[in-house]
Amino acid sequence: MNSSIIRWVFCMLAAIPVTTLAQTRPEPETSSPSTSSGTLFGGSRNFRTFSIGVNGGVLIPSVATGGSNDFSKWQLNYGYGAYVKWQLLHFLGLRADYVGGKLKADNSRKLGNGEDPNSPYSSFETSLKWSGSLNAVFNLATINWLHKQNTAQLYVSVGGGLAGYSPEITTAGGITTEYKPSGIIKEFYVPIGAGLKFKLSETVNLDLGYTMHYLDGDNLDGYIKGASKDKYAYGYAGLEFPLGNRSKPQLAWHNAPAVMYDEMAAQRDQMKLELDAEKENNARLAASVAKLQADSDGDGVSDVFDKCPGTASGDKVDGSGCPLPKPDTVKPVQVIITEDDRRLVRDAIANLEFATGSASIKPSSHMSLNKVADLLVRKNLSLKLAGHTDNVGTDSKNMILSKQRAESVKAYLVGKGVNPSRIEATGYGETQPIASNKTAAGRQQNRRVEFTIY
């Protein structure tokens, strides 16, 4: 193998890392599972990686890179082959090839000064019994101008193998003899090839290729003419059949940038849906709170619970929003808050629970709140409600949530007959923690509504 061939091989190897993807992005297509493009980081298990191929074509005792030949005119003869391929990456595969057929040439073509006067032979015919090689196959380009799925591939291959053949030579006098009567010649060779592959469907590919075989000796034509080594080429057309589950795409046709774009677009759309859903929930919550806080007549009782709407300004009302009887004289009553009263309030604080991220009071808290309502009505006490949260979430949302929870407790107590004018509800958000927000237990303590009776 001369230096120009070696340089050509290294140029091919240098192109391995380069995979050119030429495609446009059309409108989204609805595809069946068998035409899906796989996932980006799912590994080779998501693809079909093994395939087999059969082909047929012509063999000639010459190659495209040129060089000397022992006979002046080569002839086209049939050839056939098959292979098994394992696709390691979308641009790299290992392929085991088999090629057989016949090779012929003679000296009928004039070489400028006539036929080689020193050649003792007029022609040869070699039966290529078999040849087997292991090749690395590199996809240099995938071509697709209309769809995200690739439809054509340009590839090159290089490897090494062993060929078994039997030459017959014919002398200038017309006598044909076997070059090696003792048996088949076995010789090492280097195959270098290129081809173009077309994806006909998920089950079959069309394969067009050309492979040059550089032998490690000068025995192919039965004539050891000089220092140069024999070589031959195989041009072929064939079919490739992927093996495995048809619902999985072929790794060799995997278009990674297109898959990455689709996955990022899907994540973007999902995030937009989640954000829209959160905005809608916040809007519904704000509307519910606004409805709960609405007090048209300004008597301190929400319209939702006000059984006597339109109360005159300044009138004192009960928990249902109805005016209280106006006594002739108001006698001051001394209110004594006992330790039992304070314990009852502490129990209510300890048992108070809300739905996660909501101002809705859990039913398990109703019994304790009922006792607080009874105490406030019975002793005509006043109550200050202070809502607090942990630091999870934004400051503004926490401030709103703490206020909503305090108002929710007020609304519940008013619904049990407590005078709304005796209840003050305030929210402090995350500004007054009583424990560290760095632990779950601390955050639990900070999520509270404080009761102060007076």
Side-chain angles (χ1 to χ4, degrees), residues 45-307:
R45 66 180 179 274
N46 292 325
F47 302 91
R48 284 185 284 175
T49 57
F50 285 93
S51 59
I52 59 174
V54 293
N55 51 65
V58 294
L59 287 167
I60 56 174
S62 178
V63 295
T65 56
S68 60
N69 293 294
D70 297 343
F71 289 81
S72 63
K73 181 180 179 180
W74 49 264
Q75 302 176 18
L76 295 176
N77 274 276
Y78 69 89
Y80 51 88
Y83 63 80
V84 177
K85 188 176 72 169
W86 178 24
Q87 196 72 30
L88 300 176
L89 301 169
H90 71 281
F91 69 92
L92 173 63
L94 289 179
R95 192 180 68 196
D97 284 89
Y98 169 84
V99 176
K102 284 187 177 293
L103 293 158
K104 288 184 180 181
D106 58 36
N107 281 321
S108 62
R109 177 175 294 171
K110 303 300 181 181
L111 299 176
N113 296 320
E115 298 181 6
D116 182 359
N118 298 319
S119 176
Y121 304 110
S122 63
S123 64
F124 84 92
E125 179 178 321
T126 296
S127 176
L128 184 61
K129 303 293 186 182
W130 51 263
S131 65
S133 63
L134 183 63
N135 299 273
V137 182
F138 308 103
N139 295 337
L140 296 185
T142 53
I143 304 170
N144 183 356
W145 301 101
L146 296 177
H147 302 283
K148 290 185 291 185
Q149 286 78 27
N150 303 321
T151 56
Q153 292 178 344
L154 176 64
Y155 67 87
V156 296
S157 63
V158 62
L162 191 66
Y165 56 88
S166 299
E168 290 184 351
I169 52 177
T170 301
T171 65
I175 300 175
T176 300
T177 60
E178 293 184 19
Y179 174 61
K180 292 280 186 173
S182 58
I184 297 175
I185 300 172
K186 298 177 182 179
E187 205 157 57
F188 176 78
Y189 68 92
V190 174
I192 299 175
L196 190 61
K197 190 171 294 183
F198 298 91
K199 184 179 180 181
L200 302 181
S201 70
E202 288 297 322
T203 58
V204 62
N205 303 319
L206 175 64
D207 189 11
L208 306 177
Y210 176 80
T211 305
M212 301 175 289
H213 303 75
Y214 297 90
L215 293 165
D216 196 30
D218 195 28
N219 301 297
L220 182 69
D221 53 16
Y223 178 24
I224 301 178
K225 185 177 181 180
S228 64
K229 297 179 180 180
D230 288 336
K231 47 199 170 291
Y232 65 95
Y234 177 46
Y236 59 88
L239 297 177
E240 181 182 68
F241 304 95
L243 303 178
N245 191 337
R246 289 184 58 184
S247 65
K248 297 181 179 180
Q250 303 175 49
L251 179 57
W253 298 97
H254 179 47
N255 190 337
V259 174
M260 179 180 291
Y261 180 90
D262 289 343
E263 290 192 356
M264 290 178 64
Q267 292 175 2
R268 177 200 61 200
D269 294 341
Q270 180 61 31
M271 184 177 297
K272 185 177 183 300
L273 289 175
E274 293 175 357
L275 290 175
D276 291 343
E278 183 177 355
K279 290 180 181 178
E280 185 177 348
N281 289 335
N282 290 340
R284 284 200 298 266
L285 180 59
S288 299
V289 172
K291 182 179 180 181
L292 187 64
Q293 294 177 337
D295 182 9
S296 302
D297 53 14
D299 59 2
V301 179
S302 170
D303 290 346
V304 176
F305 305 104
D306 197 340
K307 296 180 180 179

Side-chain angles (χ1 to χ4, degrees), residues 5-62:
I5 296 172
I6 295 175
R7 287 195 300 271
W8 187 83
V9 173
F10 277 104
C11 288
M12 290 294 100
L13 293 176
I16 292 173
V18 180
T19 303
T20 305
L21 296 173
Q23 74 277 331
T24 58
R25 303 203 60 81
E27 293 298 320
E29 299 176 357
T30 302
S31 58
S32 64
S34 63
T35 59
S36 71
S37 55
T39 58
L40 187 60
F41 299 114
S44 60
R45 66 180 179 274
N46 292 325
F47 302 91
R48 284 185 284 175
T49 57
F50 285 93
S51 59
I52 59 174
V54 293
N55 51 65
V58 294
L59 287 167
I60 56 174
S62 178

Side-chain angles (χ1 to χ4, degrees), residues 299-301 315-322 324 373 376-377 380-383 410 413-424:
D299 59 2
V301 179
D315 284 355
K316 293 183 178 181
V317 297
D318 58 17
S320 61
C322 294
L324 292 171
L376 296 177
V377 173
N380 199 28
L381 297 176
S382 297
L383 175 66
K410 176 180 177 179
L413 295 175
V414 170
K416 294 299 179 179
V418 179
N419 189 338
S421 64
R422 289 190 170 275
I423 301 177
E424 177 186 356

